[in-house]
Amino acid sequence: MSQKLYDRIDGYIEQLFVGDDPVLAATIAATHKAGMPDIQVSAVLGKFLYLQARAIGARRILELGTLAGYSTIWLARALPPGGTLVTLEYAAQHAGVARQSIAAAGFAERVEVVVGAASETLAQMIARADAPFDLVFIDADKDNYPAYLDLVLQLTRPGSLIIADNVVRGGDVLAPAADDAYSQGARAFNAKLAADPRVEAIVMQLVGAKHHDGFALARVK
Ligand code: SAH
Ligand code: DHB
Ligand code: MG
């Protein structure tokens, strides 16, 4: 099958199950206007993240890698009254655009965007003994995914879900090039996740609007 067909089917699924969404469309427009990369999750994966959070009744959600807040808004929509989301972003510009989009979506009170390297922010959260998160979405720099796994496992509880984006990378994960730190990180992360006795996990590959990639889904034992 061709990429064109995958794209058409992604559009068909999006039209059926997501439909027009002015808030999310404005978030993507803000991403483009700010000259930021077009690397947010697809609408289909966004709805999937939302449904995972709803399915477990997540009240506390943690995200690594905010960009302009597109996936953040999908996840925030799953929160019950009183629920909160913390999202970690390295680039101050991205965080600024995200805060505007998150406020426009009505979540300024419930979403905190923390600027800094995720590994440092996570270490601070662990040192503070922050309450565990019910769902963690890992979508920041892929070379640090193995380290992020160890860190977020200290901020979860049995039954928490960990979802990590971009772990297939168009197949590059099978044999990462020497200069492709992101695919090497994804490969090391998948191997670590598969072997880690603290979780049970799987990787799902995806085709469609964001080409060929995939996500890992893990449940903390
Ligand atoms: N989750 C977003 C997309 C995130 S793109 C969505 O689907 O809408 C990856 C983001 O991770 C970028 O904004 C990038 O600036 C950020 N990032 C890169 N390195 C990081 C780090 N060390 N700590 C935190 N964020 C980082
Ligand atoms: C990149 C990051 C992502 O989170 C993504 O979904 C696609 C690409 C990247 O930085 O290359
Ligand atoms: Mg991603």
Side-chain angles (χ1 to χ4, degrees):
M1 281 213 291
S2 65
Q3 182 61 46
K4 213 169 134 194
L5 182 56
Y6 296 143
D7 282 350
R8 280 172 52 212
I9 293 175
D10 226 41
Y12 160 79
I13 298 168
E14 181 179 341
Q15 216 172 9
L16 272 179
F17 293 96
V18 178
D20 288 340
D21 194 319
V23 168
L24 291 175
T27 300
I28 290 177
T31 312
H32 295 162
K33 194 170 165 226
M36 288 157 61
D38 208 17
I39 53 174
Q40 67 284 339
V41 295
S42 69
V44 174
L45 184 52
K47 180 81 181 269
F48 176 84
L49 293 172
Y50 162 86
L51 285 168
Q52 293 297 305
R54 291 283 283 176
I56 63 164
R59 301 185 61 85
R60 277 177 61 78
I61 298 176
L62 172 64
E63 177 177 69
L64 280 54
T66 316
L67 192 66
Y70 182 85
S71 56
T72 316
I73 291 167
W74 270 115
L75 286 165
R77 285 175 173 175
L79 289 170
T84 54
L85 188 155
V86 179
T87 182
L88 315 185
E89 173 55 52
Y90 183 75
Q93 185 215 5
H94 295 185
V97 174
R99 283 193 186 108
Q100 288 187 3
S101 295
I102 290 161
F107 294 114
E109 310 293 299
R110 289 155 65 183
V111 173
E112 187 188 2
V113 183
V114 184
V115 178
S119 53
E120 284 171 29
T121 307
L122 291 168
Q124 287 165 12
M125 295 168 78
I126 293 164
R128 278 202 311 255
D130 279 9
F133 291 91
D134 306 307
L135 188 151
V136 182
F137 179 49
I138 303 177
D139 196 20
D141 46 333
K142 321 304 169 196
D143 41 336
N144 281 318
Y145 272 28
Y148 292 151
L149 180 60
D150 285 323
L151 290 165
V152 304
L153 278 167
Q154 296 172 68
L155 290 164
T156 49
R157 46 137 183 108
S160 295
L161 287 187
I162 300 171
I163 304 175
D165 194 25
N166 311 116
V167 298
V168 172
R169 303 192 58 83
D172 290 350
V173 72
L174 289 179
D179 63 351
D180 184 355
Y182 271 17
S183 296
Q184 289 173 18
R187 185 173 174 86
F189 174 80
N190 291 340
K192 187 173 166 70
L193 192 69
D196 198 312
R198 297 171 292 181
V199 295
E200 43 189 356
I202 194 64
V203 165
M204 302 295 292
Q205 60 179 332
L206 294 174
V207 293
K210 294 287 165 169
H211 308 295
H212 182 205
D213 210 322
F215 62 88
L217 172 66
R219 178 184 182 277
V220 180
K221 287 189 198 163

